[in-house]
Amino acid sequence: MPDRPEIVCLCGSARFVDELRAANRELTFAGVIVVAPGEAGEVVTAEQKAVLDALHLHKIDLADRVLVVNPGGYVGESTSREIAHARATGKPVSFTEPG
């Protein structure tokens, strides 16, 4: 048995908030520590988005692996950047749907 549960960082477009929440729930009940994108619940400024984007890269650094929530195979610009960061730092990346 590992010393601690696996840590998974969720990545995906903010438009998929329901799907991200569902993945969070499923993983949590499976005994996984989930690190998820910040939820603003409103339109954010460019400065706030830059803070959230930088913070999410650090969340990826904390994780053992990344799960991309990509309904319909959609991966946007921010998520693509997060995937590149994860791969550059050696994190395994998987997807909820084929691209």
Side-chain angles (χ1 to χ4, degrees), residues 4-5 11 13 26 38 40 42-43 45-46 49 69 74 89 92-93:
R4 65 163 173 78
C11 294
S13 173
E26 182 179 326
E42 59 192 41
V43 176
T45 66
K49 182 170 180 357
V69 177
Y74 177 81
T89 58
V93 177

Side-chain angles (χ1 to χ4, degrees), residues 53-92:
D53 287 351
L55 185 61
H56 202 70
L57 296 180
H58 289 294
K59 291 178 181 182
I60 291 168
D61 293 340
L62 293 172
D64 298 313
R65 68 180 175 95
V66 168
L67 175 61
V68 179
V69 177
N70 64 323
Y74 177 81
V75 175
E77 185 179 323
S78 292
T79 303
S80 293
R81 189 170 43 255
E82 293 162 359
I83 293 166
H85 177 80
R87 289 182 172 152
T89 58
K91 304 289 178 176

